[in-house]
Amino acid sequence: MNRRRFLGIAAAATGLSLLPARLRAEGVPIRTWRGVALGADACLQFAHPDPAEADRLIGICLEEVARLERVFSLYRPDSALSRLNRESALDAPPADLVRLLAEAVGIGRRTDGAFDPTVQPLWQLYAGHFGRSGADPDGPPAVAVRGALGLVDYRSLRVEPGRVAFARRGMAATLNGIAQGYVTDRVAERLKAEGMGDVLVDMGEIRALGHHPAGRPWTVGLKDHTDEGRTVETLEVADRAVATSGGYGTLFDPAGRFTHLFDPASGGCAWEWLAVTVTAPDATTADALSTALSVVPEDRARTILNRFPGVAARFTRRDGSVIALRA
């Protein structure tokens, strides 16, 4: 899946010109790595005086990403998540799978089911429907949607240290609404453990440790979903995470009526908001909440946000107007 990015790093690019005079004089550049992680554009940025050590740190991060992809990827048949979905149960699961599934179930509970990691049967239904030639542009038949919806229920996912399992055959999980944030957090933790205090990590979602080496907060631009060359707002972040969800990221049909954001209550595709951006203390929470808040109306969004201290959200309506809510 290609994820069109709504978030962009607006002012943290490579180059000595961004460094304060002292660091420029000492020849300390900002190191930047760019690539792909879990199907999303990825980036690391930090200042370091030793190129070899900077390369070692980047290597550690890439090893961590590769390790976690072997756990969470839906596109690798050998991943732990793929095996769980095939077999409906997994004994001795990787600790990261247990940790993230438990977190996903917990956020499902705190959002009254607006976030549900078991919506994968809906994805399979819609992708299969629109992948066929001559597909009905009005979407899958209602009876098929009801059948898939009967397999969606985070409460039927059993998560224990030694075993994870679905209560019913045919259930399946996706962590696409939370895994990028989790990977971002794990990479940030690895760099912090190596003594790095000022880092920008973007592994599909953004986590800022400390400040930009120039002494200011890291700067994150929110890009116009219709024109990625235009920034609609700039956020300054330090020791915070930012994540955005929007149905524009993956469209099933040319008209854009059906997207990858599913309402776990109805089985339909969410149309409440054009985009939702969340800032939170960690990227895992920001990622999951941006997904959950995308499928609920404003009154429910307020109720959910009040359960997450330190979290703020920016909602873009379909007419382009914006509202901001804070816990």
Side-chain angles (χ1 to χ4, degrees):
M1 184 200 323
N2 291 320
R3 292 184 59 181
R4 288 182 58 203
R5 299 301 306 285
F6 189 81
L7 287 171
I9 300 161
T14 306
L16 291 174
S17 61
L18 291 179
L19 292 171
R22 179 183 60 80
L23 290 180
R24 288 202 305 271
E26 294 173 359
V28 182
I30 294 182
R31 289 297 306 274
T32 300
W33 170 88
R34 299 186 187 277
V36 175
L38 287 176
D41 295 338
C43 178
L44 290 172
Q45 298 193 14
F46 56 87
H48 204 287
D50 184 344
E53 178 63 9
D55 287 342
R56 186 186 73 84
L57 293 171
I58 291 171
I60 288 173
C61 295
L62 298 187
E63 289 174 1
E64 183 71 353
V65 171
R67 183 183 71 81
L68 292 171
E69 284 187 327
R70 292 193 293 271
V71 178
F72 302 134
S73 174
L74 283 172
Y75 304 101
R76 294 181 54 137
D78 61 337
S79 76
L81 182 59
S82 293
R83 289 187 286 123
L84 170 64
N85 286 345
R86 277 198 310 270
E87 301 165 15
S88 294
L90 192 63
D91 292 321
D96 286 287
L97 182 63
V98 173
R99 180 179 177 182
L100 190 53
L101 284 176
E103 183 121 11
V105 169
I107 292 177
R109 188 176 303 112
R110 295 172 71 188
T111 59
D112 300 320
F115 182 84
D116 194 321
T118 68
V119 295
Q120 183 64 6
L122 289 170
W123 167 272
Q124 293 165 337
L125 173 65
Y126 282 84
H129 173 84
F130 285 106
R132 292 191 293 271
S133 177
D136 184 345
D138 289 328
V143 64
V145 173
R146 287 195 298 270
L149 193 57
L151 298 171
V152 176
D153 187 354
Y154 70 93
R155 295 164 297 187
S156 295
L157 175 58
R158 312 290 186 236
V159 184
E160 300 172 354
R163 179 179 170 84
V164 292
F166 299 115
R168 298 189 297 281
R169 273 279 176 188
M171 292 184 68
T174 172
L175 294 171
N176 284 352
I178 192 172
Q180 278 94 353
Y182 182 86
V183 172
T184 297
D185 284 334
R186 299 293 78 75
V187 169
E189 287 178 2
R190 290 296 303 270
L191 288 171
K192 192 171 184 178
E194 293 287 333
M196 300 297 294
D198 297 309
V199 177
L200 190 70
V201 180
D202 177 1
M203 295 292 140
E205 310 301 350
I206 292 174
R207 173 85 178 267
L209 295 181
H211 290 72
H212 186 279
R216 55 172 172 78
W218 292 99
T219 306
V220 176
L222 303 183
K223 293 188 175 181
D224 187 338
H225 80 287
T226 62
D227 179 5
E228 293 193 353
R230 189 172 80 92
T231 299
V232 297
E233 186 174 342
T234 300
L235 304 178
E236 291 188 339
V237 292
D239 292 317
R240 300 279 288 172
V242 186
T244 288
S245 289
Y248 57 82
T250 300
L251 302 176
F252 288 113
D253 63 319
R257 295 167 56 200
F258 299 92
T259 77
H260 71 290
L261 285 174
F262 301 108
D263 179 358
S266 69
C269 299
W271 277 95
E272 188 71 28
W273 307 103
L274 187 63
V276 177
T277 297
V278 172
T279 59
D282 62 271
T284 305
T285 300
D287 193 4
L289 282 183
S290 70
T291 302
L293 296 175
S294 294
V295 306
V296 299
E298 183 177 340
D299 57 343
R300 284 191 62 196
R302 290 181 183 275
T303 299
I304 289 170
L305 272 176
N306 286 335
R307 299 170 184 166
F308 292 86
V311 172
R314 178 187 189 274
F315 298 80
T316 303
R317 297 188 179 98
R318 297 207 162 268
D319 64 2
S321 60
V322 174
I323 63 171
L325 301 178
R326 184 176 296 274

